[in-house]
């Protein structure tokens, strides 16, 4: 007899349900949804592989149950991502742009969570500053239960300054008319 009650795998401890097992998912896995096979331990020793299904856009902290005769309860844990931060169905990322692009606009290429290259056009009449953000609708994570709709990708910018400026360019910059807010 297991000290956890319920006969082991997924059984309750002392007559109650077993604590949930953490199901670690990457943002790419969360984007796609699917199935994941996880090895779980039996309190009496031994282990077995169980498969759990999850919908695209599943949220951290959600509770899921595996399929099969002895289901196991899982809690979704979102792995830290190197490029994106998640807030609901929105994704946040930082991208590098040149000072010239920040001042004059232009195209910025970023890779979305689905792996495709996105070209984001920064308007020529809008200066991008250190706190500026640009939203790309429909390029975040799937919105659960929405039949294919996705959240937004929100970009912030790391503005890269030139290492030097030629004298003629410096004179041209100095001669320009600038409008500052809050200075």
């Amino acid at each position: 007899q297991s000290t956890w009650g319920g006969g082991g795998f997924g059984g309750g401890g002392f007559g109650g349900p077993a604590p949930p097992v953490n199901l670690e998912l990457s943002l790419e896995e969360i984007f796609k949804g699917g199935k994941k096979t996880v090895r779980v331990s039996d309190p009496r020793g031994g282990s077995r592989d169980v498969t759990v299904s999850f919908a695209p856009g599943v949220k951290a902290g959600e509770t899921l149950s595996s399929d099969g005769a002895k289901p196991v309860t899982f809690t979704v844990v979102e792995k830290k991502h190197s490029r994106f931060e998640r807030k609901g169905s929105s994704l946040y990322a930082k991208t590098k742009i040149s000072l010239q692009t920040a001042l004059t606009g232009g195209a910025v290429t970023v890779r979305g969570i689905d792996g495709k290259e996105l070209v984001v056009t920064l308007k020529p009449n809008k200066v991008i500053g250190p706190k500026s953000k640009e939203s790309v609708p429909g390029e975040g994570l799937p919105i659960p239960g929405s039949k294919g709709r996705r959240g937004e990708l929100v970009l912030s910018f790391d503005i890269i300054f030139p290492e030097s400026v030629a004298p003629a360019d410096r004179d041209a910059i100095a001669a320009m008319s600038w409008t500052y807010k809050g200075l």
Side-chain angles (χ1 to χ4, degrees):
Q1 175 78 14
S2 168
T3 58
W4 290 88
F9 298 109
F14 304 104
V21 175
N22 286 343
L23 177 66
E24 291 190 3
L25 298 174
S26 69
L27 283 178
E28 287 82 1
E29 290 172 311
I30 290 170
F31 172 75
K32 293 176 185 173
K35 293 182 179 193
K36 188 166 186 173
T37 300
V38 179
R39 180 157 295 231
V40 293
S41 300
D42 182 332
R44 296 179 296 177
S47 60
R48 70 178 171 122
D49 289 340
V50 294
T51 300
V52 61
S53 300
F54 53 96
V58 66
K59 291 183 167 73
E62 273 190 50
T63 302
L64 307 171
S65 290
S66 66
D67 303 325
K70 294 181 181 176
V72 175
T73 302
F74 291 90
T75 299
V76 175
V77 175
E78 188 177 293
K79 292 180 186 177
K80 185 170 175 60
H81 198 276
S82 62
R83 292 183 303 133
F84 298 108
E85 182 181 329
R86 178 185 189 178
K87 292 182 185 174
S89 293
S90 296
L91 291 175
Y92 289 74
K94 193 167 207 166
T95 189
K96 293 181 180 184
I97 61 172
S98 69
L99 177 61
Q100 181 180 13
T101 301
L103 294 174
T104 63
V108 177
T109 303
V110 294
R111 185 174 305 280
I113 190 69
D114 55 4
K116 78 178 177 188
E117 297 274 322
L118 305 171
V119 178
V120 179
T121 302
L122 303 176
K123 297 175 184 161
N125 60 344
K126 180 181 175 188
V127 173
I128 300 295
K131 294 181 182 178
S132 295
K133 296 193 182 324
E134 285 290 320
S135 175
V136 185
E139 293 298 336
L141 292 173
I143 299 170
S146 71
K147 296 185 180 180
R149 287 190 30 236
R150 290 171 57 183
E152 63 185 347
L153 171 60
V154 180
L155 298 174
S156 60
F157 302 95
D158 185 8
I159 302 167
I160 307 301
F161 283 72
E163 291 183 22
S164 63
V165 178
D169 292 337
R170 185 173 42 248
D171 293 342
I173 291 169
M176 291 179 182
S177 174
W178 300 88
T179 303
Y180 295 95
K181 186 176 185 177
L183 182 64

